[in-house]
């Protein structure tokens, strides 16, 4: 029964009070439960959009299933700007000489930026103003330093505010007034003039209000410094004490000419702006101050004209603080602090005639939570304060049980994932499990409880029927192009996709993690068929997957696992194969060996890797198809032939390929399609005698123009075109068909298998 059923006419007849009490109780209970702090972060048990299937061992009897588990902030998370906490402290400055020098400003409240009514800072070449405020036993003291390209004062004393002038508004519970001062120093207006008005702009009783004013003029009177002491007697007080509250606002008026309207530049707390943190501490548009005791440190003002907006991103994966402000902030750095600890930074860049800085808020350390965070410029000028309650750090996700079964069978099996952090991808983990003991050439289904089931097919143990693969490289410069080539490839129903480096173009840089998200999104959108059967992926490393591109460009290179992971964190964390040290071999029965190599990215071509390659090739003379896969080409279609890495591959690897019966080598990097003549001993030879180097790396990358085929001895074909290689293994030969991303057949060749 719904709650509303209890309040319908006739329900609980004679017990209306009980009905009313019950409704109130339920409403209170709901409000109470809703107010309880809930964990605003969680790990999803399974994410199909971060799914990756691959192999680590025999593809006929195993399958490695993995997905990324990212800590998510479940919207709606309670993220809100908060108030600054109370009136601003007005510093005690003690007795000061009033001579226009502002010798006390080091003890006062600095106002480094005065903003216009539109919350913009004026062009400093035309006008700039700074101010300092303080108090002592005599009254409120104000000092302003004004620089102007032009000066014009109003002739009528009653209308000083309509020309160059400064204004101080003061108010307490008993009295309020406005003091307007025109500094003078101009031809025709040499003397300093002032007038008291009430806050409605009407003249006040001058006999009751007094002020001491000192002015210094510079640059023909266009620049000036003005110092004012406004006695407490103006508020009807003989003496004051620390802790007293009053309300102030300070303007500097700039008037460039008789036809222009004056610009009113406010003190750097805009009591008129409801977005400003001080807004609620206002009275009649004046900002609240509290007299600070002697010896107190001067506070920093929250900068007027800035807006601080904490946001949860659309994916629920991050909290960002978005700061906007005047163009004067461009190029400035903004920091986010928790207590005294700086936790993140950003820089202001142009955005819609403003400055925009976006700060990615890191999750708090385990066992802690962010509460109040301060936003400061690099000079410690406050921009705002935000609160992010209920953002708790969870530990790494729990392992997940994966159920799997042969398609059509009722017999279920289960395996548990192993959780590992993704290096330098904060709060992201791989959930990985290797299923073993599978039957060759068989479809299986797998499922995590509560989610849809997905499928895969093991590879055949023997080449009794043709086996089709897709090969390419330089995959995601652009997600749309990547998906277009993916869709074309899937029309050919490959059993696996082999990418030779240049995967997400994240360059080993943690700030480019969005590139990996797009890479996963593209695969999720295109490499899972209508029956949710997932196409496995194997990958080699390339320079777009590494921080410096090549090991020899890093001054700190060390030949160890830790260094390799530091420069290619996502590659080594995300791909179970090839794993460390970046080269490996995967055997498909006796009909195919995929030899994944590292072309100078995290390991040298020569030395240990070449010795390993020699052993691998020597032990696989019986395998029909030996396919080396790597990134930088030995025989480039765009790159210079004498490139360091290309020359090293021709020196160290090419002779081993030729000696071991390798017929086909897949290499990429050039952003164009190419196929070489069969090559042996550095010369073009007959197809049965040499090695064909094919690929080019233009799956989804930007395109480049290749060398002229007729003028390049080793090139048979070359085109600037997005493409993929559809490679079909037959018992007697390997069929290679090259298709453009639009499906056009652009090249074909049949390679005889090794005897």
């Amino acid at each position: 029964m719904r709650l509303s059923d209890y309040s319908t006419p006739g329900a609980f007849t004679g017990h209306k009070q009980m009905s009313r009490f019950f409704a109130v109780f339920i409403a209170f209970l709901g409000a109470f439960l809703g107010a309880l702090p809930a964990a605003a972060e969680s790990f999803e048990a399974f994410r199909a959009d971060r799914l990756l299937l691959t192999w680590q061992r025999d593809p006929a009897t195993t399958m490695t299933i993995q997905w990324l588990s990212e800590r998510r902030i479940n919207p709606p998370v309670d993220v809100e700007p908060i108030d600054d906490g109370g009136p601003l402290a007005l510093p005690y400055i003690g007795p000061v000489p009033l001579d226009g020098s502002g010798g006390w400003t080091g003890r006062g409240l600095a106002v480094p930026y005065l903003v216009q009514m539109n919350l913009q800072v004026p062009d400093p070449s035309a006008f700039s103003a700074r101010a300092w405020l303080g108090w002592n036993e005599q009254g409120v003291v104000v000092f302003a330093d004004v620089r102007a390209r032009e000066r014009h004062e109003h002739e009528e004393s009653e209308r000083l505010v309509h020309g160059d002038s400064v204004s101080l508004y003061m108010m307490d519970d008993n009295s309020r007034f406005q003091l307007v001062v025109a500094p003078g120093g101009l031809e025709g207006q040499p003397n300093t003039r002032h007038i008291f008005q009430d806050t409605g702009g009407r003249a006040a009783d001058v006999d009751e209000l007094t002020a001491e004013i000192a002015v210094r003029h510079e640059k023909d009177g266009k620049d000036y410094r003005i110092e004012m002491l406004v006695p407490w007697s103006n508020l009807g007080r003989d003496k004051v004490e620390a802790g007293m509250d009053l309300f102030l606002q300070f303007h500097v008026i700039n008037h460039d000419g008789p036809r222009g309207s004056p610009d009113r530049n406010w003190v750097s707390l805009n009591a008129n702006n409801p977005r400003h943190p001080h807004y609620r501490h206002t009275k009649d548009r004046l900002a609240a101050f509290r007299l600070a005791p002697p010896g107190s440190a001067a506070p920093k003002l929250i900068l007027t004209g800035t807006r601080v907006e904490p946001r949860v991103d659309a994916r629920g994966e991050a909290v960002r603080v978005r700061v906007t402000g005047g163009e004067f902030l461009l190029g400035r750095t903004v920091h986010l602090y928790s207590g005294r600890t700086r936790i993140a930074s950003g820089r202001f860049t142009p955005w819609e005639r403003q400055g925009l800085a976006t700060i990615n808020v890191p999750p708090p350390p385990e066992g802690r939570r962010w509460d109040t965070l301060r936003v400061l410029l690099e000079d410690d000028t406050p921009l705002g304060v935000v609160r992010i309650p209920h953002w708790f750090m969870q530990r790494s996700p729990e392992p997940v049980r994966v159920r799997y079964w042969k398609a059509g069978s009722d017999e279920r099996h289960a395996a548990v994932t192993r959780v590992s952090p993704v290096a330098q991808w904060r709060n992201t983990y791989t959930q990985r499990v290797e299923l073993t003991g599978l039957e060759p050439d068989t479809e299986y289904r797998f499922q995590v409880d509560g989610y849809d089931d997905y499928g895969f097919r093991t590879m055949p143990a023997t080449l009794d029927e043709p086996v089709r693969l897709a090969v390419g490289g330089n995959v995601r410069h652009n997600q749309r192009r990547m998906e277009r080539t993916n869709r074309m490839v899937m029309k050919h129903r490959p059993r696996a996709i082999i990418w030779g480096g240049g995967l997400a173009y994240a360059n080993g840089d943690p700030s480019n993690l969005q590139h990996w998200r797009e890479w996963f999104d593209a695969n999720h959108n295109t490499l899972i068929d209508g029956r949710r059967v997932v196409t496995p992926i194997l990958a080699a490393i390339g320079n777009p997957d590494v921080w410096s591109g090549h090991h020899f460009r890093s001054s700190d290179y060390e030949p160890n696992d830790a260094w390799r992971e530091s420069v290619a964190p996502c590659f080594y964390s995300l791909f179970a194969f090839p794993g460390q040290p970046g080269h490996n071999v995967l055997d498909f029965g006796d009909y195919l060996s995929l030899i994944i190599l590292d072309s100078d990215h995290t390991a040298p071509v020569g030395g240990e890797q070449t010795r390993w390659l020699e052993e691998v090739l020597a032990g696989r003379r019986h395998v029909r198809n030996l396919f080396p896969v790597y990134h930088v080409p030995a025989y480039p279609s765009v790159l210079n032939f004498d490139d360091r890495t290309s020359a090293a591959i021709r020196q160290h690897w090419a002779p081993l390929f030729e000696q071991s019966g390798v017929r086909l080598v897949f290499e990429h990097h050039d952003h164009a399609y190419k196929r070489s003549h069969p090559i042996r001993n550095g010369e073009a030879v007959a197809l049965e005698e040499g090695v064909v180097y094919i690929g080019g790396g233009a799956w989804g990358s930007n395109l480049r123009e290749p060398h002229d085929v007729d003028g390049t001895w080793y090139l048979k074909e070359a085109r600037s075109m997005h493409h993929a290689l559809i490679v079909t293994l037959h018992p007697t030969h390997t069929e290679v068909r090259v298709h453009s991303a639009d499906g056009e057949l652009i090249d074909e060749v049949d390679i005889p298998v090794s005897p």
Side-chain angles (χ1 to χ4, degrees):
M1 182 176 288
R2 301 185 304 273
L3 177 61
S4 58
D5 292 336
Y6 289 103
S7 57
T8 55
F12 279 78
T13 304
H15 297 279
K16 291 183 179 180
Q17 288 184 335
M18 181 178 293
S19 175
R20 193 175 301 114
F21 170 81
F22 183 75
V24 171
F25 173 76
I26 292 295
F28 169 79
L29 182 61
F32 174 76
L33 293 175
L36 289 177
E41 293 191 23
S42 64
F43 293 98
E44 289 193 23
F46 176 74
R47 289 190 64 179
D49 63 340
R50 297 292 181 263
L51 186 61
L52 174 64
L53 268 60
T54 189
W55 294 286
Q56 302 174 74
R57 293 181 289 173
D58 180 12
T61 62
T62 73
M63 179 62 73
T64 295
I65 301 170
Q66 72 171 55
W67 61 91
L68 290 187
S69 183
E70 297 181 83
R71 182 179 287 113
R72 299 174 67 87
I73 306 157
N74 298 327
V77 68
D78 187 9
V79 182
E80 58 185 18
I82 65 166
D83 178 76
D84 68 298
L88 276 170
L90 188 65
Y92 176 81
I93 60 172
V96 295
L98 209 70
D99 55 10
S101 67
W104 53 270
T105 54
R107 305 188 300 276
L109 173 66
V111 184
Y113 307 100
L114 271 72
V115 299
Q116 298 170 342
M117 298 292 286
N118 62 2
L119 306 184
Q120 296 295 313
V121 172
D123 179 359
S125 66
F127 175 80
S128 66
R130 299 177 296 165
W132 289 261
L133 294 85
W135 76 278
N136 58 24
E137 288 79 0
Q138 285 73 47
V140 172
V141 187
V142 179
F143 175 76
D145 184 355
V146 182
R147 311 284 166 161
R149 184 168 54 197
E150 298 291 337
R151 286 272 321 283
H152 297 274
E153 294 184 5
H154 204 283
E155 298 86 354
E156 301 177 23
S157 296
E158 292 77 11
R159 304 187 67 189
L160 294 182
V161 75
H162 296 283
D164 285 357
S165 59
V166 299
S167 292
L168 175 68
Y169 294 78
M170 265 181 89
M171 181 174 67
D172 65 3
D173 293 336
N174 302 314
S175 306
R176 63 182 181 180
F177 62 86
Q178 174 188 7
L179 169 63
V180 184
V181 181
L186 301 175
E187 184 177 353
Q189 299 291 347
N191 300 321
T192 300
R193 297 173 294 159
H194 73 273
I195 185 173
F196 283 96
Q197 298 176 323
D198 65 21
T199 52
R202 296 177 295 275
D205 188 343
V206 177
D207 294 335
E208 296 180 1
L209 303 174
T210 62
E212 296 181 44
I213 303 168
V215 179
R216 291 190 180 189
H217 296 285
E218 301 176 14
K219 206 175 70 173
D220 299 328
K222 293 180 180 178
D223 296 349
Y224 61 92
R225 297 181 175 185
I226 186 167
E227 196 167 22
M228 304 183 296
L229 170 64
V230 183
W232 295 119
S233 59
N234 290 349
L235 296 177
R237 297 176 180 268
D238 296 329
K239 59 181 294 187
V240 295
E241 296 179 351
M244 187 189 91
D245 289 345
L246 74 158
F247 298 87
L248 301 173
Q249 186 54 272
F250 182 68
H251 297 171
V252 178
I253 313 299
N254 177 47
H255 199 298
D256 283 340
R259 294 186 178 181
S261 59
D263 290 328
R264 181 170 295 184
N265 297 276
W266 297 64
V267 74
S268 286
L269 53 98
N270 189 353
N272 263 340
N273 179 13
R275 298 183 324 201
H276 195 274
H278 287 293
Y279 179 71
R280 77 176 209 152
H281 299 294
T282 62
K283 190 171 184 179
D284 290 352
R285 299 185 178 183
L286 307 187
F289 285 83
R290 181 165 294 156
L291 304 188
S296 300
K300 287 273 190 175
L301 281 178
I302 293 179
L303 186 62
T304 302
T306 57
R307 184 173 185 173
V308 177
E309 300 174 289
R311 295 180 173 183
V312 178
D313 77 349
R315 297 174 179 268
E317 294 168 351
V319 173
R320 296 184 176 93
V321 174
R322 188 173 183 268
V323 187
T324 53
E327 291 181 301
F328 72 99
L329 291 170
L330 294 179
R332 301 286 298 275
T333 300
V334 59
H335 303 298
L336 197 64
Y337 281 84
S338 173
R340 297 184 178 181
T341 303
R342 182 191 301 174
I343 63 171
S345 301
R347 184 176 293 274
F348 283 98
T349 57
W351 179 75
E352 296 185 358
R353 301 183 65 184
Q354 298 185 77
L356 168 66
T358 300
I359 309 172
N360 294 316
V361 183
E366 292 191 10
R368 293 181 55 195
R369 76 181 201 184
W370 298 141
D371 189 4
T372 299
L373 300 177
R374 296 180 298 130
V375 186
L376 307 177
L377 280 179
E378 71 269 9
D379 62 1
D380 292 337
T381 298
L383 303 185
V385 188
V386 296
R387 187 186 297 278
I388 309 178
H390 312 327
W391 190 4
F392 294 94
M393 281 295 294
Q394 288 183 238
R395 298 185 180 274
S396 60
E398 295 296 323
V400 173
R401 182 171 63 175
V402 177
R403 301 178 187 274
Y404 63 100
W405 62 95
K406 191 189 304 184
S409 172
D410 293 331
E411 185 179 0
R412 298 296 193 262
H413 308 275
V416 177
T417 61
R418 179 179 178 182
V419 179
S420 301
V422 178
Q424 298 185 27
W425 193 338
R426 191 166 183 175
N427 313 309
T428 302
Y429 299 80
T430 57
Q431 294 269 15
R432 179 180 296 160
V433 61
E434 184 182 34
L435 309 183
T436 60
L438 307 178
E439 295 182 15
D441 201 13
T442 301
E443 182 179 334
Y444 284 83
R445 309 296 293 182
F446 67 93
Q447 184 179 34
V448 173
D449 287 346
Y451 295 85
D452 289 336
D453 64 301
Y454 286 79
F456 63 84
R457 192 173 189 89
T458 55
M459 295 295 289
T462 58
L463 193 60
D464 299 326
E465 299 289 338
V467 171
R468 182 166 293 162
L469 307 169
V471 183
N474 298 83
V475 181
R476 191 224 67 90
H477 249 158
N478 175 285
Q479 182 177 343
R480 179 185 57 81
R481 290 198 299 258
M482 177 183 173
E483 290 189 6
R484 185 178 64 164
T485 306
N486 283 5
R487 289 190 177 95
M488 181 277 295
V489 162
M490 290 297 285
K491 293 178 181 178
H492 297 272
R493 301 174 62 86
R495 300 291 291 270
I497 293 176
I498 304 161
W499 280 326
L503 303 170
Y505 277 80
N507 301 309
D509 185 349
S511 67
N512 291 333
L513 294 178
Q514 181 59 29
H515 297 186
W516 280 109
R517 293 187 177 102
E518 291 179 6
W519 185 87
F520 276 103
D521 287 343
N523 292 337
H524 175 255
N525 294 340
T526 56
L527 301 186
I528 302 175
D529 70 14
R531 297 175 48 249
R532 296 195 298 275
V533 174
V534 185
T535 305
I537 294 171
L538 292 162
I541 196 169
N543 58 290
D545 310 310
V546 181
W547 174 256
S548 56
H550 298 271
H551 73 90
F552 50 75
R553 293 179 180 169
S554 294
S555 59
D556 62 346
Y557 167 68
E558 295 180 9
N560 56 50
D561 291 358
W563 185 87
R564 284 186 286 269
E565 185 176 274
S566 72
V567 296
C570 288
F571 180 82
Y572 283 109
S573 295
L574 296 178
F575 294 95
F577 185 90
Q580 292 275 15
H583 52 263
N584 208 337
V585 60
L586 187 65
D587 295 318
F588 297 68
D590 63 357
Y591 63 88
L592 171 63
S593 290
L594 282 177
I595 305 167
I596 304 295
L597 296 168
D598 180 338
S599 50
D600 262 347
H601 306 296
T602 64
V605 166
E608 186 276 332
Q609 188 173 194
T610 294
R611 289 190 292 272
W612 172 87
L613 175 61
E614 184 174 15
E615 293 176 4
V616 164
L617 291 172
R620 286 166 175 78
R621 302 269 183 178
H622 62 288
V623 178
R624 298 182 195 180
N625 296 284
L626 298 171
F627 289 169
V629 181
Y630 52 85
H631 192 67
V632 177
Y635 292 94
S637 64
V638 174
L639 202 66
N640 190 299
F641 184 75
D642 295 323
D643 172 79
R644 169 176 174 166
T645 299
S646 298
I649 294 172
R650 293 194 301 271
Q651 176 187 351
H652 295 287
W653 295 352
L656 299 178
F657 299 157
E658 295 168 8
Q659 296 165 16
S660 305
V662 172
R663 299 293 193 187
L664 198 58
V665 173
F666 298 99
E667 50 184 28
H668 307 90
H669 183 63
D670 272 336
H671 298 201
Y673 170 66
K674 75 94 186 286
R675 172 165 63 93
S676 77
H677 291 287
I679 297 172
R680 190 176 188 87
N681 295 326
E683 297 180 354
V685 296
L687 184 61
E688 296 79 9
E689 300 175 7
V691 180
V692 173
Y693 295 81
I694 194 169
W699 190 285
S701 64
N702 297 332
L703 294 174
R704 298 171 180 159
E705 283 298 318
H707 303 316
D708 177 56
V709 171
D710 294 335
T712 308
W713 68 265
Y714 55 83
L715 288 181
K716 174 66 174 175
E717 296 285 345
R719 295 194 187 191
S720 179
M721 185 174 288
H722 294 114
H723 67 277
L725 283 65
I726 306 302
V727 180
T728 306
L729 308 182
H730 297 271
T732 59
H733 67 283
T734 298
E735 175 187 292
V736 181
R737 301 293 181 262
V738 185
H739 293 266
S740 73
D742 293 327
E744 177 190 357
L745 180 65
I746 62 174
D747 192 21
E748 56 184 317
V749 63
D750 291 345
I751 306 292
V753 301
S754 299

